[in-house]
Amino acid sequence: QLVLQAAGALAEGFGREHQRTAPALPAQTHRSGDHLRAHLRAIGERINAAPRKCLGFRSPREVLEEWLAEGAG
């Protein structure tokens, strides 16, 4: 029982370690629609430019561009 509890705690900690936190949006309500869209676009670009271990340390953008260059499948 003790070994199972320790393994469970280790797995839980490992899962938390690899979770990405979403970029926080500013708590401002006076943003114009265009400014908010630009801010959200910038967040998306930053997320898609970050390399991922599961993608062989390539970014999702790089993988998509490679896939499109190959004729999309």
Side-chain angles (χ1 to χ4, degrees), residues 4-73:
L4 293 176
Q5 289 175 343
L10 179 64
E12 184 178 323
F14 182 76
R16 264 183 276 154
E17 178 182 331
H18 295 325
Q19 290 176 345
R20 291 188 181 272
T21 57
L25 291 174
Q28 299 174 353
T29 57
H30 64 278
R31 290 189 179 273
S32 70
D34 290 337
H35 191 248
L36 180 60
R37 277 189 288 279
H39 184 70
L40 292 174
R41 189 176 306 113
I43 291 173
E45 288 173 3
R46 189 173 74 205
I47 290 171
N48 286 325
R52 306 286 198 279
K53 182 178 180 181
C54 64
L55 298 175
F57 296 99
R58 296 177 296 163
S59 70
R61 179 179 295 132
E62 291 170 329
V63 172
L64 177 62
E65 288 172 356
E66 181 181 309
W67 183 72
L68 291 173
E70 292 174 355

